[in-house]
Amino acid sequence: KDAAITSTKASIALLQSQITDDQAQISSLQTSGTNSLDVQIAQAKLENAQANLQGIESQSVSSTITAPFDGTILAISNKVGDTVGTAKFLTIADLSEPYLEVLLDETDLTNVAVGYDVSVTFDALPNQTFTGKVVAINTSLSNAFSVTAIQTTVKLDPSTSTTIQNLPLGLSATVEVISAQAQNVLLVPVEALHKISDNSYGVFVMENGTPTFKTVEVGLQDYTSAEIKSGLNEGDVVTTGIVETTK
């Protein structure tokens, strides 16, 4: 293969030199007012050399595979001399930017979007948490393990940890997509909320040993806690409705 490449480069260099000489000869003949037949012969030689050069360069380009990005070859499924079609035979990856393929339940469609932050924990590294962002969402739902899922791509933040550069391919991970977040806010257990109407809630606050119902403005919620924007103060004691009984 190396010998063939060297031979091709030599042929290209020879033809380029010949083209330069032919162009100089034509210019000289035209300047000296030589017989037009001699000029035509020189022009024909030039065109022939240019055609040969174009053919060699086209053949060289057609036998060269150019990757769409810089990366590392991970696998080659064929060997020299094999005939390849449209099937994949070469796997390349950019290991400098770690990505995850994430499958989410279709019920989470409204909770994921490009740009959302994610929190990632790998099964092999349970004591480390990595961060990243959703960078792509497949426009078609996929079927994984007989479950319809949303296929997303997550890019991990390399600054999270130096370990991230050495993670092997194929690791399993738990991914939490953060569609919204609030910091330094007042929280109550979701069990303490009582729905009055759409987007309207109340809680029972203990005052002098007696539960008093107060309307509150609720912000973000998850499965365990709810953000209270107004209606309560830090230190208020709320009841979840669980009481002790005696027989």
Side-chain angles (χ1 to χ4, degrees):
K1 183 179 178 181
D2 292 340
I5 294 175
T6 301
S7 176
T8 300
K9 288 182 177 179
S11 298
I12 291 175
L14 180 62
L15 285 169
Q16 288 174 333
S17 177
Q18 182 181 339
I19 289 172
T20 301
D21 292 343
D22 290 343
Q23 289 173 332
Q25 182 183 8
I26 292 172
S27 178
S28 176
L29 290 172
Q30 290 174 336
T31 302
S32 62
T34 308
N35 188 297
S36 62
L37 179 60
D38 292 335
V39 176
Q40 292 176 5
I41 294 174
Q43 183 67 39
K45 290 174 58 179
L46 172 61
E47 293 175 354
N48 183 62
Q50 290 174 329
N52 289 336
L53 176 62
Q54 184 178 359
I56 292 177
E57 288 179 336
S58 297
Q59 184 178 2
S60 175
V61 170
S62 65
S63 61
T64 302
I65 299 175
T66 303
F69 56 86
D70 295 337
T72 302
I73 295 176
L74 302 180
I76 302 175
S77 57
N78 294 82
K79 60 181 183 296
V80 176
D82 286 350
T83 300
V84 297
T86 57
K88 181 181 72 175
F89 72 94
L90 186 69
T91 302
I92 185 172
D94 183 0
L95 301 181
S96 65
E97 297 186 345
Y99 289 86
L100 292 179
E101 290 186 359
V102 181
L103 297 176
L104 303 174
D105 190 273
E106 62 177 319
T107 58
D108 291 320
L109 183 60
T110 58
N111 296 320
V112 61
V114 172
Y116 278 11
D117 293 328
V118 299
S119 175
V120 179
T121 304
F122 291 97
D123 294 351
L125 301 168
N127 297 323
Q128 294 189 47
T129 300
F130 301 86
T131 60
K133 287 185 179 296
V134 177
V135 295
I137 301 176
N138 197 321
T139 54
S140 300
L141 295 177
S142 61
N143 192 283
F145 308 105
S146 300
V147 176
T148 304
I150 308 165
Q151 186 175 357
T152 64
T153 302
V154 168
K155 180 181 179 181
L156 297 181
D157 181 3
S159 64
T160 302
S161 170
T162 55
T163 310
I164 204 170
Q165 301 296 339
N166 302 316
L167 293 175
L169 298 178
L171 282 180
S172 298
T174 300
V175 179
E176 293 184 357
V177 178
I178 304 171
S179 58
Q181 57 182 328
Q183 298 178 346
N184 300 320
V185 297
L186 189 64
L187 299 177
V188 298
V190 292
E191 295 87 355
L193 291 179
H194 297 273
K195 188 173 183 178
I196 302 173
S197 61
D198 290 342
N199 301 319
S200 179
Y201 295 88
V203 297
F204 283 98
V205 181
M206 298 302 295
E207 295 181 347
N208 300 320
T210 302
T212 303
F213 190 76
K214 290 187 176 182
T215 302
V216 294
E217 182 184 0
V218 178
L220 299 179
Q221 297 185 55
D222 58 18
Y223 294 111
T224 58
S225 302
E227 173 194 1
I228 302 299
K229 291 185 174 182
S230 63
L232 290 180
N233 298 310
E234 185 177 356
D236 286 346
V237 178
V238 299
T239 174
T240 60
I242 300 175
V243 297
E244 294 184 0
T245 59
T246 57
K247 294 182 179 180

